[in-house]
Amino acid sequence: MSAADRLTDALYGAGWSTVKRLPEPVAVRLGRTIADLAWKQRGKGVQRLEANYARVVPDATPERLAELSRAGMRSYLRYWMESFRLPAWSAERVRTGFDPKDVHHLTDGLASGRGVVLALPHLANWDLAGAWVTTELRTPFTTVAERLKPETLYDRFVAYREGLGMEVLPHSGGSAFGTLARRLRDGGLVCLVADRDLSASGVEVDFFGETARMPAGPALLAQQTGALLLPVTLWYDDSPVMKGRVHPPVDVPESGTRAEKTSVMTQALADAFASGIAEHPEDWHMLQRLWLADLDPAKGPS
């Protein structure tokens, strides 16, 4: 393991061991302080976040984009402070920490026994939403995690999410899809963060007027297993309680090839994601390239 990898692993380890013991108001202030420092340094992540917001809010002035990126970094650090502290939260704190709308789409789907796929963008705190599902709804679920470097950091994330009641599968390796399909055929729940493609097999979608690529997995799982596909969006407000919405189901088209159906369904997910991101852009934690024009340096900014 390189020195940089050891430092990264040590910093995350310190976060989980130290921040979770802080009083909540102290953790909130610490997160905001770190966010403001990072924003002032205007590193690559902040610049990318601002460039992404420019597509979401195309008429924003430079001053407005700067305000958004500052709020975005504060939201991003709120996610981290909450995530470091989640293992120490009581069941009651988890239950009262999230207030989602239209949960009946999820509970009715589970009650039907057909299995449910929840698909989310990188909005607010998806780990808290997952902990709420396992705590309030008493429903375990399966998810997929990107393999991080160093491997010890990936192991930390897996242990953290398993501690919240999730079954975590590695994104790489090729066996995740089959396991997810089996869970759904058994009437289970699968939750996937699905606004950024991590493979070469993503589906091109129109996203805020430009072409992006999103994973085909949620749509393919719904087609192959008969599971309900539900988009979910999350956001913060000025309270300690995260808000969310379970959107109506994305139906499988009655006609077309598998690829055509997947394209239509993934575009429907992208549209639902865009509606939530447009309402709360500062809570979209996309510090990486997403649009195809950005992925190809010859077509746009780095």
Side-chain angles (χ1 to χ4, degrees):
M1 187 189 301
S2 69
D5 285 347
R6 286 196 297 273
L7 177 60
T8 299
D9 183 60
L11 288 173
Y12 280 98
W16 268 299
S17 64
T18 303
V19 174
K20 71 179 180 182
R21 292 197 292 265
L22 295 175
E24 190 158 345
V26 176
V28 170
R29 288 195 299 271
L30 176 62
R32 180 162 292 200
T33 298
I34 295 172
D36 288 348
L37 287 172
W39 177 77
K40 289 176 182 176
Q41 292 176 355
R42 293 196 57 78
K44 288 184 178 180
V46 173
Q47 293 180 50
R48 172 49 46 198
L49 183 66
E50 206 163 285
N52 289 339
Y53 287 159
R55 284 186 167 92
V56 175
V57 191
D59 58 347
T61 63
E63 292 78 15
R64 172 61 177 148
L65 287 176
E67 291 174 0
L68 272 176
S69 64
R70 183 177 188 181
M73 290 304 295
R74 287 182 172 185
S75 176
Y76 185 48
L77 263 295
R78 175 172 172 175
Y79 159 77
W80 279 112
M81 291 297 112
E82 287 180 348
S83 295
F84 287 144
R85 291 173 52 76
L86 261 176
W89 280 16
S90 67
E92 182 62 21
R93 179 68 180 88
V94 172
R95 292 189 187 100
T96 59
F98 181 39
D99 180 22
K101 300 178 181 179
D102 299 326
V103 180
H104 65 90
H105 291 306
L106 170 57
T107 54
D108 290 350
L110 291 171
S112 74
R114 62 185 290 192
V116 176
V117 180
L118 294 180
L120 307 86
H122 286 81
L123 274 169
N125 191 339
W126 48 96
D127 285 329
L128 172 55
W132 185 88
V133 167
T134 61
T135 303
E136 175 65 17
L137 301 185
R138 298 184 179 181
T139 302
F141 65 87
T142 305
T143 189
V144 174
E146 178 182 3
R147 277 205 176 276
L148 303 171
K149 293 182 179 180
E151 188 76 13
T152 51
L153 179 58
Y154 171 77
D155 292 341
R156 287 185 188 275
F157 271 95
V158 170
Y160 156 64
R161 288 179 171 137
E162 288 179 343
L164 299 176
M166 312 175 192
E167 179 187 20
V168 183
L169 307 176
H171 181 271
S172 58
S175 62
F177 189 91
T179 302
L180 295 174
R182 287 194 295 274
R183 299 292 182 267
L184 292 169
R185 291 192 181 101
D186 290 340
L189 176 63
V190 165
C191 299
L192 301 171
V193 180
D195 57 343
R196 181 169 176 255
D197 180 51
L198 294 175
S199 71
S201 59
V203 178
E204 290 191 2
V205 295
D206 180 274
F207 197 54
F208 292 100
E210 290 192 47
T211 303
R213 190 180 291 122
M214 293 187 181
L220 288 172
L221 285 166
Q223 290 178 62
Q224 292 193 19
T225 68
L228 202 64
L229 176 56
L230 299 175
V232 177
T233 54
L234 310 170
W235 67 92
Y236 291 128
D237 56 18
D238 293 330
S239 77
V241 180
M242 184 177 72
K243 304 301 192 297
R245 176 178 293 110
V246 182
H247 294 252
V250 173
D251 294 326
V252 178
E254 294 183 359
S255 62
T257 65
R258 185 174 72 167
E260 289 169 343
K261 292 177 180 180
T262 301
S263 178
V264 170
M265 295 172 73
T266 306
Q267 182 63 60
L269 283 181
D271 292 343
F273 294 167
S275 70
I277 292 167
E279 290 178 1
H280 305 278
E282 67 278 4
D283 291 324
W284 188 41
H285 308 151
M286 186 55 65
L287 281 74
Q288 299 86 18
R289 297 182 179 97
L290 180 72
W291 283 272
L292 297 194
D294 293 342
L295 294 171
D296 183 350
K299 294 181 181 179
S302 61

